[in-house]
Amino acid sequence: MRSSSLSVTTIRPSSPQTSSQAAVLSPLDWELSRPPVFSAQASQVSFTSGINIVAQPGSVTFSESITNKPLEEVAISHIASKYAAALPNLDYRAIGISPKRFITFEHQPNAARTFITKTLLSHGSWQNAGTAPLQASITLAYTFDQSQLRLNIAEARLQSADKEPIPTILFAGSFHYDLDGELGEARLKNLHQVIEHWRTDLEAFQNLIDTQFLPLMETSQAGTLKAVG
């Protein structure tokens, strides 16, 4: 099983007053999946559509589950742009585009850990220190034509209702863009251009996993390692 999500984060100087405003900037016909959470530290609104909005002093993150969803139906770039258009005078400093992908290993409790420690890392006596099996995560930096991707690969467990947690490898990407231009129209134009770049970033992220990491999972000789899904 494989699942994916995508997040767009607007970054600006701390502004608690606008945090709660961002959390309610959503289509009126969307149904809440649970009651909204509002506090001085953060505000969160979750919808049955799979979209979440988390507002904190200094940032607002729009995230969406995109598993099995056509790219034409992904809505968060529109929602993030709508938020910026509604509050055009904020001092936006940067945009973060953060895709995530979970790849599970059902009925293989040690496969995710084995892939990281024996396939991605060179084996050595340093892995044997301590009283429990080594747990590891890896952070890599890739440079593309218009951006840099920081990719974290880590062991995780995917929890679903009424089921045992499933061993999972989490690929978490982050594209960071500093915004150019004077505060106001020029800065806002650059912000919208960056947000609209989300599809190119997502495709680069997915292609990297599909061409470079999934083949390693399928051909690994470490035990019975095999990605399910």
Side-chain angles (χ1 to χ4, degrees):
M1 181 176 67
R2 301 168 189 174
S3 63
S4 304
S5 66
L6 181 68
S7 299
V8 176
T9 301
T10 63
I11 302 170
R12 64 185 192 284
S14 179
S15 180
Q17 292 81 5
T18 58
S19 295
S20 58
Q21 294 173 7
V24 296
L25 244 168
S26 55
L28 295 177
D29 59 345
W30 282 7
E31 182 181 352
L32 292 172
S33 62
R34 56 178 178 267
V37 176
F38 297 103
S39 71
Q41 292 74 37
S43 303
Q44 180 174 1
V45 180
S46 300
F47 300 93
T48 56
S49 61
I51 289 180
N52 293 278
I53 304 175
V54 178
Q56 298 173 293
S59 70
V60 179
T61 299
F62 307 84
S63 61
E64 179 176 4
S65 173
I66 60 173
T67 304
N68 299 324
K69 182 178 291 187
L71 295 184
E72 293 76 15
E73 296 180 10
V74 175
I76 57 168
S77 62
H78 172 71
I79 299 300
S81 293
K82 180 181 176 182
Y83 162 70
L87 299 169
N89 296 318
L90 295 182
D91 185 11
Y92 300 105
R93 301 291 180 84
I95 292 291
I97 297 177
S98 305
K100 291 182 180 180
R101 188 166 173 184
F102 298 88
I103 299 178
T104 62
F105 298 87
E106 296 187 58
H107 313 300
Q108 301 176 76
N110 298 318
R113 180 177 303 169
T114 299
F115 175 70
I116 295 175
T117 59
K118 293 188 177 180
T119 301
L120 298 184
L121 294 174
S122 296
H123 186 70
S125 59
W126 57 273
Q127 292 195 16
N128 300 322
T131 58
L134 174 72
Q135 292 181 303
S137 63
I138 301 172
T139 299
L140 306 171
Y142 294 91
T143 300
F144 297 99
D145 290 340
Q146 298 183 18
S147 60
Q148 185 179 75
L149 165 66
R150 291 184 63 84
L151 177 65
N152 182 259
I153 306 170
E155 178 185 0
R157 290 187 175 273
L158 196 62
Q159 181 70 60
S160 57
D162 302 323
K163 293 184 179 180
E164 291 293 321
I166 301 173
T168 303
I169 287 182
L170 168 62
F171 293 88
S174 176
F175 296 87
H176 179 89
Y177 296 90
D178 291 320
L179 296 178
D180 300 321
E182 295 294 327
L183 182 63
E185 184 176 346
R187 182 83 59 84
L188 203 59
K189 180 180 179 181
N190 186 216
L191 180 148
H192 289 302
Q193 289 173 338
V194 169
I195 291 176
E196 288 307 312
H197 201 259
W198 71 268
R199 188 186 297 241
T200 299
D201 289 341
L202 177 62
E203 289 174 349
F205 170 79
Q206 298 281 36
N207 183 64
L208 179 65
I209 296 172
D210 289 340
T211 63
Q212 302 302 319
F213 292 100
L214 288 187
L216 291 176
M217 294 180 184
E218 293 166 358
T219 61
S220 173
Q221 299 302 309
T224 58
L225 183 63
K226 182 180 179 182
V228 176

